[in-house]
Amino acid sequence: MSGVVDPSLLDGAARLLAAARSVAALTGAGVSDESGVPTFRGAGGYWKNHRAEDVATPTAFRRDPALVWEFYNYRRDLLAGVEPNAGHRALAELESLGARFTLVTQNVDGLHARAGSARLLELHGNIWVVRCTGCRGEHTSREALGALPRCTACGALLRPGVVWFGEPLPPGVWEQAERAVAESDCLLVVGTSAVVQPAASLAWRAAQAGSRVIEINTEPTPARDIAALGLYGQAGVILPDLVGRVRALRVQQGTQETTS
Ligand code: OAD
């Protein structure tokens, strides 16, 4: 079932993907919406009347680390109980369908990796990583943390291993993401409001380099302006349908190659 999306648009998008030698995807919070993870800018995007931009900053952490940890512990608790959805799984399958593939995500929830995506760039870090503000050591922990967790090695305050507003992206990750989108023949832009920089600029970078951009979202975003195609509806419904069509085209291509 493709919901409200016109099947001819889905076929058009599938043909672009099946013809591409290199595919990239840029995802945002919307891809995890159907797993029950609240998005940042939709309804329910507020936490205790704070916007993400108010608590996810180095300034907020210096001013009130307990409040910032309360926010991240709330999100870690929430994420501990959720599972990847059909959209995450479809993107993992797309990776196995022949083209070179890179998934660039703004999400810190780790759901793409759990769904099986391997060539994955987490632009904003990962919420299960904790980093020491003193010795900079970091480790992954899914355990519940205290109100002000401290480093067992040096005693300094720990912080979430995510990128906050005003901070640089993890070294090397941005360069790899830029290269992947610029080299792609087709870029999927899925479940992102396409307004948070520099991540959003990847869609424009891809279009400038000649990649065909396909937007998948419940509603058009600024990325619609540079998209070759827009598929509007739930990512967890559209992606499995779309990837099923790509799979069918790849099978046809394989059959044609072996019979010619
Ligand atoms: P946003 O919350 O800004 O946008 C979510 C997008 O997903 C919106 O465009 C929705 O229309 C769309 N959406 C919602 N449900 C959907 C569904 N089921 N299927 C398809 N689309 C759906 O999230 P991001 O764009 O990811 O940064 O936000 C970018 C960054 O801003 C985040 O990584 C985070 C945030 O503040 C940091 O924390 C640094």
Side-chain angles (χ1 to χ4, degrees), residues 130-239:
V130 284
R131 190 160 70 236
C132 178
T133 56
C135 68
R136 309 276 161 200
E138 60 176 47
H139 65 280
T140 300
S141 164
R142 290 179 72 92
E143 291 181 6
L145 300 168
L148 281 174
R150 296 204 163 261
C151 177
T152 48
C154 76
L157 195 57
L158 293 173
R159 60 161 283 177
V162 300
V163 176
W164 283 330
F165 286 95
E167 289 186 318
L169 301 183
V173 173
W174 174 250
E175 289 76 8
Q176 288 182 60
E178 257 198 315
R179 202 174 321 125
V181 303
E183 285 174 4
S184 71
D185 302 307
C186 187
L187 173 75
L188 289 173
V189 178
V190 188
T192 175
S193 53
V195 293
V196 173
Q197 300 298 355
S201 71
L202 290 172
W204 278 261
R205 176 83 186 83
Q208 267 164 10
S211 181
R212 308 301 298 278
V213 175
I214 301 170
E215 173 162 76
I216 301 178
N217 200 302
T218 43
E219 59 188 30
T221 74
R224 179 66 187 106
D225 294 347
I226 44 109
L229 266 171
L231 305 174
Y232 297 106
Q234 290 186 302
V237 175
I238 293 173
L239 280 168

